[in-house]
Amino acid sequence: MHAVYRRNLINRSFYCLKTRIFSKRIMATSTEDGNGGTLEENFEQVVTMETVVAADNKGIDYNKLIRQFGCSALSQSHLDRIEKLTGKPPHHLLKRGVFFSHRDLDAMLDMYEKGQPFYLYTGRGPSSESMHLGHLIPFIFTKYLQEAFNVPLVIQLTDDEKFFLKKHLDIDETYRLAYENAKDIIALGFDPKKTFIFSDIDYIGSSSDFYRNILRIQRCITFNQVRATFGFVETDSIGKIAFPAVQAAPAFCNSFPETFGRRKDVPCLIPCAIDQDPYFRLTRDVAPRVGCHKPSLIFSTFFPALQGAKTKMSASDPNSSIFLTDTPNQIKKKINKYAFSGGRDTVEEHRELGGDLEVDIPYKYLTFFLEDDEKLAQIREDYSTGKMLSGEIKKELIQVLQPIVAAQQERRKHVTMDVVKEFMKPRKLEFPGLKEAK
């Protein structure tokens, strides 16, 4: 065995044992494992920054993930408190458990209740011309938080990271894709007076304060820490290894002097998918050492692929995803052909046993995008008891998604490059309650 390969294999094996989260994509097959079962039955879920694979088509075991990552589950008391503080009902993505866990959300709500303002930070890694439905989830929820709490938002486009991770993309292409994805994000209706979107390639080159924070963070994090957290090995590029500091920097308000001036004490709330947690565990460790608040986080589940909840929707597989550029006919064809069904083998069996909601992708997608709670409850009842067939629930999903995607496309037509430049211009954002530090 080649010496470098052997060392890398040992490093990755150590990482797996230490964190119980695999760092390489391992796909189970239905072959015997020698222990009386199959590999698929004994396969352990994989959740890393590059790979998400569940043990079966029921999807990721999020209770297990909470225990592994050491975060906390969201409860009804959190939803009640958000409603009390904002005067707005909880978003359906909260009520249905799509956003399901957090770090230090209670501390953030305590500060807000005392009149301490905060800001929001989320991001997007631009690797495809168009975003897909799964990419929309954190932005839909972030928009709700921005409006409910009346706070500003920064959105990081990690075109540098995608250059390191996606070897088929050159740096000019990831930079171009960042601007294309910015149009999709803007089309959701974010308030330009309260929202700053930035490309890392642009902003690191123009903001000395942002780069200074990156340097401070890099000095605080050792290679052993990032290797233990992400499973980096000797053959990984130094850009990939150094990137966690770039993703950490927007969580500190003094990275944005145009908005926060000289202040270092404005806290940050980060809505994101749970696979981003390793980045922000490091960020929270570093925060006291650079004199800033630890960011709070609120995590979402993954948006499953059309073929089943064993993996998340991926921009690299067009048949696993519904893109924001898809036509109504393409949406219909993809759902009818690829959406994994919890329906039974025959109509008679389905009428008797009902559909399996735990694996049915059309039902899972409806929980994300059908806002009408009563209608969703009726679909759940009808499908699980066999009254509704799999073709009928697919039809319901098609009728929900087609107008959502069409409306997004119509709004995007009006997002000109001048509009993008306005969102991406470093400037003072509207920030009720913020006072300049002396």
Side-chain angles (χ1 to χ4, degrees):
M1 185 182 293
H2 191 279
V4 172
Y5 176 80
R6 184 170 62 250
R7 286 196 298 272
N8 290 349
L9 185 60
I10 292 170
N11 284 340
R12 288 198 186 274
S13 298
F14 173 76
Y15 172 64
C16 293
L17 289 171
K18 183 173 181 180
T19 65
R20 304 293 296 164
I21 303 169
F22 297 0
S23 59
K24 293 179 70 178
R25 189 180 183 114
I26 306 170
M27 295 302 293
T29 59
S30 296
T31 58
E32 292 184 2
D33 65 358
N35 294 313
T38 65
L39 289 176
E40 186 170 353
E41 289 169 350
N42 293 288
F43 180 68
E44 187 173 1
Q45 65 186 25
V46 178
V47 178
T48 73
M49 64 178 184
E50 295 183 59
T51 301
V52 175
V53 183
D56 54 42
N57 275 320
K58 293 180 181 179
I60 295 296
D61 182 340
Y62 290 103
N63 289 327
K64 183 176 183 180
L65 206 57
I66 286 174
R67 294 192 298 271
Q68 289 176 330
F69 281 7
C71 48
S72 302
L74 283 171
S75 66
Q76 184 60 45
S77 64
H78 290 107
L79 277 62
D80 294 341
R81 193 171 184 202
I82 288 172
E83 182 171 12
K84 180 180 178 182
L85 289 173
T86 65
K88 296 183 180 295
H91 197 276
H92 73 273
L93 294 175
L94 265 179
K95 291 188 293 183
R96 297 174 189 170
V98 173
F99 281 81
F100 72 104
S101 66
H102 71 98
R103 289 190 185 277
D104 269 357
L105 179 61
D106 297 283
M108 181 66 66
L109 296 178
D110 287 343
M111 286 187 282
Y112 183 80
E113 189 170 22
K114 294 175 182 176
Q116 165 74 58
F118 69 89
Y119 71 102
L120 296 164
Y121 155 42
T122 194
R124 159 76 183 136
S127 60
S128 58
E129 187 83 23
S130 170
M131 290 165 56
H132 60 56
L133 287 179
H135 295 142
L136 285 187
I137 299 303
F139 291 107
I140 290 171
F141 185 67
T142 298
K143 184 172 181 288
Y144 156 78
L145 290 175
Q146 182 184 50
E147 293 172 350
F149 286 97
N150 192 24
V151 292
L153 162 68
V154 297
I155 298 174
Q156 181 183 41
L157 301 175
T158 57
D159 39 14
D160 50 348
E161 179 201 26
K162 289 305 176 184
F163 171 65
F164 299 135
L165 294 179
K166 304 291 185 180
K167 293 185 179 180
H168 65 286
L169 296 176
D170 66 31
I171 197 163
D172 292 331
E173 179 65 0
T174 60
Y175 181 70
R176 184 187 72 83
L177 294 176
Y179 276 77
E180 290 302 311
N181 287 184
K183 294 176 183 178
D184 286 330
I185 295 167
I186 291 167
L188 284 168
F190 286 102
D191 186 346
K193 296 179 181 179
K194 295 187 176 73
T195 306
F196 173 46
I197 303 174
F198 65 97
S199 142
D200 281 344
I201 292 173
D202 280 340
Y203 200 53
I204 292 173
S206 64
S207 173
S208 61
D209 293 271
F210 187 63
Y211 187 56
R212 282 190 178 100
N213 263 354
I214 292 172
L215 296 176
R216 293 184 183 108
I217 296 163
Q218 286 176 336
R219 191 165 75 171
C220 291
I221 300 174
T222 67
F223 175 66
N224 281 341
Q225 285 177 298
V226 293
R227 179 173 59 186
T229 302
F230 299 105
F232 292 139
V233 296
E234 294 174 15
T235 54
D236 284 319
S237 72
I238 60 174
K240 184 177 176 181
I241 293 165
F243 176 76
V246 181
Q247 185 157 323
F252 303 141
C253 65
N254 60 336
S255 294
F256 306 102
E258 299 85 3
T259 291
F260 302 102
R262 292 168 291 169
R263 295 190 66 151
K264 297 178 66 176
D265 62 338
V266 182
C268 173
L269 175 61
I270 306 170
C272 62
I274 186 67
D275 59 342
Q276 298 301 299
D277 182 56
Y279 285 108
F280 297 115
R281 289 202 301 269
L282 283 178
T283 306
R284 286 168 54 81
D285 288 343
V286 167
R289 299 171 64 184
V290 298
C292 293
H293 274 291
K294 289 184 177 183
S296 298
L297 296 106
I298 183 166
F299 299 115
S300 73
T301 60
F302 301 113
F303 193 78
L306 280 166
Q307 287 84 350
K310 195 163 187 175
T311 60
K312 66 177 181 177
M313 187 173 278
S314 171
S316 62
D317 182 357
N319 293 328
S320 80
S321 308
I322 295 175
F323 290 92
L324 302 183
T325 51
D326 282 348
T327 65
N329 193 47
Q330 285 175 316
I331 294 170
K332 180 179 179 180
K333 284 185 175 180
K334 284 184 178 182
I335 292 171
N336 282 330
K337 184 174 182 179
Y338 297 113
F340 189 88
S341 174
R344 307 299 174 174
D345 292 337
T346 66
V347 171
E348 293 76 16
E349 186 181 2
H350 186 88
R351 295 294 191 197
E352 179 184 355
L353 300 176
D356 185 351
L357 296 174
E358 288 193 287
V359 302
D360 193 84
I361 286 298
Y363 178 74
K364 288 179 182 290
Y365 281 18
L366 286 169
T367 65
F368 283 88
F369 287 105
L370 177 58
E371 296 186 24
D372 188 326
D373 291 331
E374 291 185 6
K375 186 171 183 180
L376 182 66
Q378 187 62 57
I379 290 172
R380 179 184 179 89
E381 171 68 18
D382 290 348
Y383 190 63
S384 63
T385 58
K387 183 178 179 180
M388 175 181 283
L389 299 175
S390 59
E392 293 171 321
I393 195 172
K394 286 183 177 183
K395 183 178 179 181
E396 291 282 355
L397 177 62
I398 292 165
Q399 291 174 344
V400 168
L401 293 185
Q402 284 177 334
I404 289 175
V405 174
Q408 173 73 10
Q409 291 171 357
E410 183 61 30
R411 291 190 299 266
R412 195 184 191 278
K413 291 178 183 178
H414 303 287
V415 181
T416 65
M417 189 54 68
D418 286 339
V419 172
V420 174
K421 288 179 179 178
E422 179 61 28
F423 273 90
M424 299 184 78
K425 177 182 177 182
R427 64 202 187 282
K428 188 173 181 61
L429 302 177
E430 284 189 4
F431 207 138
L434 182 70
K435 297 180 180 179
E436 175 63 48
K438 295 181 178 179

